[in-house]
Amino acid sequence: MTRQSVEHPHHERADAARNRRLILEAADRLYAERGAAHVTMDDIARAAGVGRGTLYRRYPDRASIALALLDAHERDLQETLLRGEPPLGPGASPAERLAAFYAAMVALLDRHVHLALGAEVGRSRFEAGAYGFWRAHVRALVAEAGHADPDAMVEPLLAPLAPDVFARQREIGIGADRIAAALERLARAALG
Amino acid sequence: MTRQSVEHPHHERADAARNRRLILEAADRLYAERGAAHVTMDDIARAAGVGRGTLYRRYPDRASIALALLDAHERDLQETLLRGEPPLGPGASPAERLAAFYAAMVALLDRHVHLALGAEVGRSRFEAGAYGFWRAHVRALVAEAGHADPDAMVEPLLAPLAPDVFARQREIGIGADRIAAALERLARAALG
DNA sequence: TCCATAAGTGGACATTGTGTCCGGATACTT
DNA sequence: AAGTATCCGGACACAATGTCCACTTATGGA
């Protein structure tokens, strides 16, 4: 779905590849340093040592840069959900799988909040990145658990994983472990 | 908490009061017509027939205008939660009160999504508007239900009410009634 | 090795939205 | 009616976005 922003074109020129790396490294560092909201495209271009035109050629906005950085991490988890061991992968009960999914996502967010927040700038998270995948996964679990209206239950169950919610909780002193524990309880209550 | 943006100063000049009304009416209309994201301060000033300076004098940004408009509606619900009849008001079980709260919030969102989205521009919803009130209410319910870590459970339970989540659900064809039904089930599962 | 050319680069530019400022206008008081 | 505190509104400076195009460079064939 966002592969083109990660996979290398078949014959990418050497200078282009170098600049791509410079851009991604600079963006990652800036997002981590200042927070997504305080990084402009100009900042990234300057930090990477490339011109604005070069930056815009690849990435139309900040969100797509953050998405490119997130993508690799997210793909690992997606792979595990599809073919990994239970309880993340197939084989466990829906409630346990949702609990494990929550825990894994919290761990992911804990490492990459700055990127997740950066990916939210502009376009809403719903139509970008891996949201479609998470949605399909959770929908399947909800349906398997026998809920009456799975489609109406998916977004409410995904909402607690919104990056800004996670960031807020950490801001007021609730660590990733407590968040994960609370969500695991919620998962078992909702699908158990 | 946001009273100063709604209450009239003791001796507001007649022209100032008129302009306040013009501004709020114009903003409400524009938000509804085009959606919050596509309304600028300039648009509001022009539609209201006042200058930019006049607009900025009262409202530092779009969010505070939307908040002023939302405020009245939210206050009604707050009053009911504190002193109204069960199940919204005191007297019912935590699970039933949370279910009723969800339903009431969905109804509120259904009428005023455009405002709720407008209030989110810039400042995150957490530190503005009535969020503190909703948080305190839900936290009390969670605690009363005997949960281990109420503080970690509050944000996850409030997250499904985020305006962008609601807007998204409606966008993909899930009506307010289905959302309310799903959330009521969630409430009973989480606190029951 | 050298050249043709497709791809890539970078900074100038136009555009849009934000927020501030202050001379002038206007309502309220006495 | 006059004085004054408040308010008005547009001009201005600034910040960030996204586009454009003249120039540069890598690459592959002769």
Side-chain angles (χ1 to χ4, degrees), chain B residues 19-42:
Chain B
N19 280 343
R20 174 206 308 284
R21 237 199 23 252
L22 288 174
I23 288 172
L24 290 180
E25 281 169 6
D28 196 18
R29 185 162 41 80
L30 287 179
Y31 281 139
E33 272 173 21
R34 313 184 198 168
H38 303 124
V39 177
T40 71
M41 290 293 266
D42 226 7

Side-chain angles (χ1 to χ4, degrees), chain B residues 89-104:
Chain B
S93 73
E96 287 309 312
R97 290 194 72 190
L98 182 61
F101 169 67
Y102 274 156

Side-chain angles (χ1 to χ4, degrees), chain A residues 5-72:
Chain A
S5 58
V6 158
E7 255 177 21
H8 297 197
H10 274 279
H11 283 305
E12 186 183 44
R13 268 171 48 167
D15 54 347
R18 177 179 49 84
N19 279 344
R20 175 207 304 285
R21 236 198 25 253
L22 288 174
I23 289 172
L24 290 181
E25 283 169 5
D28 195 19
R29 186 163 40 80
L30 286 179
Y31 280 141
E33 273 174 20
R34 314 184 197 169
H38 302 124
V39 177
T40 72
M41 291 293 266
D42 224 7
D43 293 333
I44 297 173
R46 207 172 316 117
V50 305
R52 299 177 55 68
T54 305
L55 185 52
Y56 275 99
R57 154 174 297 268
R58 296 170 196 294
Y59 304 106
D61 49 42
R62 281 169 298 178
S64 60
I65 303 181
L67 273 174
L69 288 165
L70 265 182
D71 211 57

Side-chain angles (χ1 to χ4, degrees), chain A residues 67-174:
Chain A
L67 273 174
L69 288 165
L70 265 182
D71 211 57
H73 308 293
E74 290 187 327
R75 220 192 308 270
D76 289 347
L77 179 52
Q78 289 175 14
E79 186 58 28
T80 305
L81 291 177
L82 287 178
R83 282 177 281 277
E85 294 295 303
L88 268 179
S93 73
E96 287 309 311
R97 289 193 74 192
L98 182 62
F101 170 67
Y102 274 157
M105 284 294 278
V106 167
L108 202 64
L109 279 170
D110 197 40
R111 269 172 304 175
H112 306 297
V113 219
H114 57 289
L115 292 181
L117 286 172
E120 275 195 317
V121 176
R123 259 301 144 287
S124 85
R125 68 181 179 285
F126 302 114
E127 51 214 75
Y131 189 84
F133 188 98
W134 310 139
R135 187 180 201 287
H137 180 63
V138 171
R139 192 196 175 286
L141 295 180
V142 174
E144 194 187 336
H147 251 84
D149 189 352
D151 287 307
M153 190 61 96
V154 176
E155 264 79 23
L157 287 178
L158 281 174
L161 295 174
D164 62 337
V165 172
F166 180 84
R168 167 65 176 181
Q169 289 183 281
R170 284 226 313 215
E171 219 171 78
I172 62 176
I174 302 177

